[in-house]
């Protein structure tokens, strides 16, 4: 018996499609959009045919479906994660800049408390992580300049992003034909 | 009719069954699931069928095209490629050998079970 889809049914279907889409961000964009459209079209038809509850039950959770799709796309071997790489690449600068900024502010507050009036001071910064900072203390308060990331930090940031996203798995796998032929 | 299938057995033959269904007739995902259900695989869920179709497409055994649907979004139809057809023939032959081997073993008579109380 055909079922008439209500707005609530469509919202439930869109919710699954949306959560599936969020879990497929490691796929190429075109592939992800194609899967989203296909699942939506199939779900709408299944819901009209069997009811939304049954259609959603038969397709399973978005997490399990995403795992199956990722396995279908990349094979069963472990694969890279653009999402994990993006999280690392975005969050580490935020966290590091926050820590360095707090350290600089603490140093500046110390200068203001110790020297009160005015002066120009240099601090080497957090070892290996930033360039020296110059603090200017005057009547208007404490200001500072410098403190940029060192090249080491950029290298670690890049290495961490690659490690976190396991991006080496994007490289083509070495063929084993030569080994097979030798056996 | 609802029958239960061993998931491990089913996993091994699902690709072959899908290839056969699509060799019979070009279909879209939900229709394939319905045809599987009608063939007695009622416990094979759509959440298993759609990624399996994706896998076969990635392996070059299926080709797809979008067909506008009067009742909703465009449907993605799957059809067998020549590679898929070769693969189906090979899988069917392997399955026949497998079944023959299993049936030959199962057809052998079993020894009488030991009487109770004897060790």
């Amino acid at each position: 018996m055909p079922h008439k889809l209500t707005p609530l049914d469509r919202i439930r279907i869109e919710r699954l499609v949306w959560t599936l889409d969020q879990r497929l961000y490691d796929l190429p964009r075109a592939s992800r959009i194609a899967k989203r459209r296909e699942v939506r079209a199939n779900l709408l038809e299944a819901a009209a045919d069997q009811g939304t509850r049954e259609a959603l039950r038969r397709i399973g959770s978005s997490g399990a479906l995403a795992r199956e799709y990722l396995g279908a796309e990349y094979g069963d071997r472990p694969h890279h994660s653009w999402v994990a790489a993006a999280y690392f690449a975005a969050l580490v600068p935020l966290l590091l800049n926050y820590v360095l900024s707090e350290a600089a502010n603490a140093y500046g507050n110390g200068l203001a408390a110790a020297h009160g009036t005015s002066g120009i001071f240099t601090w080497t910064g957090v070892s290996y992580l930033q360039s020296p900072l110059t603090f200017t203390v005057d009547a208007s308060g404490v200001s500072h300049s410098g403190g940029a990331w060192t090249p080491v930090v950029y290298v670690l940031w890049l290495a961490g992003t690659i490690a976190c996203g396991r991006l080496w798995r994007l490289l083509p796998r070495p063929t084993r034909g030569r080994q097979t032929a030798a056996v | 009719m609802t029958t239960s299938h061993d998931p491990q057995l089913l996993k091994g033959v699902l690709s072959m069954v899908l290839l056969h269904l699509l060799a019979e007739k070009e279909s879209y995902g939900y229709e394939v699931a319905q045809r599987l259900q009608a063939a007695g695989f009622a416990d094979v869920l759509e959440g298993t069928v759609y990624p399996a179709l994706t896998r076969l497409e990635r392996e070059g055994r299926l080709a797809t095209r979008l067909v506008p649907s009067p009742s909703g979004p465009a449907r993605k139809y799957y059809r067998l490629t020549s590679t898929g057809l070769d693969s189906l023939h090979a899988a069917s032959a392997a399955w026949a050998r497998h079944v023959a081997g299993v049936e030959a073993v199962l057809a052998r008579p079993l020894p009488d079970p030991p009487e109770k109380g004897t060790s």
Side-chain angles (χ1 to χ4, degrees):
Chain A
M1 186 181 70
H3 294 72
K4 184 171 168 49
L5 294 185
T6 65
L8 183 62
D9 291 330
R10 290 181 187 277
I11 288 171
R12 292 174 67 193
I13 288 170
E14 280 306 314
R15 180 175 170 274
L16 183 127
V17 172
W18 186 82
T19 52
L20 174 67
D21 188 60
Q22 298 304 303
R23 293 170 191 271
L24 292 181
Y25 261 91
D26 288 335
L27 292 180
R29 185 170 178 271
S31 170
R32 181 168 57 86
I33 292 172
K35 283 169 183 56
R36 190 174 68 201
R37 287 181 177 159
E38 185 185 14
V39 167
R40 180 186 289 118
N42 285 328
L43 261 179
L44 285 171
E45 183 155 350
D49 203 18
Q50 313 170 357
T52 305
R53 177 184 294 228
E54 179 64 7
L56 289 174
R57 185 191 72 78
R58 289 190 61 87
I59 205 164
S61 73
S62 60
L65 190 58
R67 276 194 298 279
E68 292 276 343
Y69 269 128
L70 289 170
E73 192 81 18
Y74 294 120
D76 294 327
R77 68 191 175 103
H79 57 84
H80 67 284
S81 170
W82 286 116
V83 175
Y87 270 120
F88 185 91
L91 292 180
V92 163
L94 286 177
L95 186 64
L96 186 57
N97 285 342
Y98 172 76
V99 169
L100 295 179
S101 170
E102 286 297 302
N105 288 338
Y107 192 87
N109 290 340
L111 284 178
H115 299 281
T117 53
S118 64
I120 296 176
F121 306 89
T122 300
W123 178 43
T124 55
V126 179
S127 300
Y128 303 112
L129 295 185
Q130 60 182 154
S131 60
L133 294 94
T134 302
F135 287 83
T136 305
V137 182
D138 54 27
S140 61
V142 181
S143 60
H144 68 267
S145 60
W149 287 5
T150 61
V152 172
V153 174
Y154 284 101
V155 170
L156 290 176
W157 184 35
L158 181 65
T161 302
I162 291 171
C164 203
R166 281 115 39 215
L167 298 185
W168 64 86
R169 289 175 179 158
L170 283 167
L171 299 172
R173 301 181 83 189
T175 53
R176 299 187 181 182
R178 203 172 297 166
Q179 294 174 13
T180 308
V183 172
Chain B
M1 180 183 68
T2 301
T3 54
S4 182
H5 296 88
D6 183 331
Q8 291 304 319
L9 278 177
L10 202 54
K11 192 176 177 185
V13 297
L14 182 61
S15 296
M16 182 175 63
V17 173
L18 290 175
L19 287 175
H20 193 97
L21 288 176
L22 291 167
E24 290 173 353
K25 186 181 121 184
E26 187 184 37
S27 291
Y28 55 97
Y30 179 61
E31 191 179 48
V32 172
Q34 291 292 94
R35 290 173 63 197
L36 263 178
Q37 200 169 354
F41 295 97
D43 47 358
V44 180
L45 302 177
E46 279 87 328
T48 306
V49 174
Y50 302 157
L53 292 173
T54 298
R55 189 184 293 264
L56 291 170
E57 182 192 359
R58 184 179 59 84
E59 293 167 350
R61 294 193 265 177
L62 295 179
T64 60
R65 67 187 179 109
L66 280 177
V67 177
S69 163
S71 61
R75 291 168 178 161
K76 187 176 179 182
Y77 274 77
Y78 294 87
R79 68 176 185 281
L80 222 61
T81 61
S82 56
T83 308
L85 193 59
D86 293 343
S87 174
L88 175 60
H89 289 320
S92 301
W95 174 252
R97 284 196 304 274
H98 182 77
V99 169
V102 171
E103 283 184 344
V105 171
L106 293 182
R108 292 180 196 166
L110 292 174
D112 294 332
E115 290 178 18
K116 285 182 182 175
T118 61
S119 56

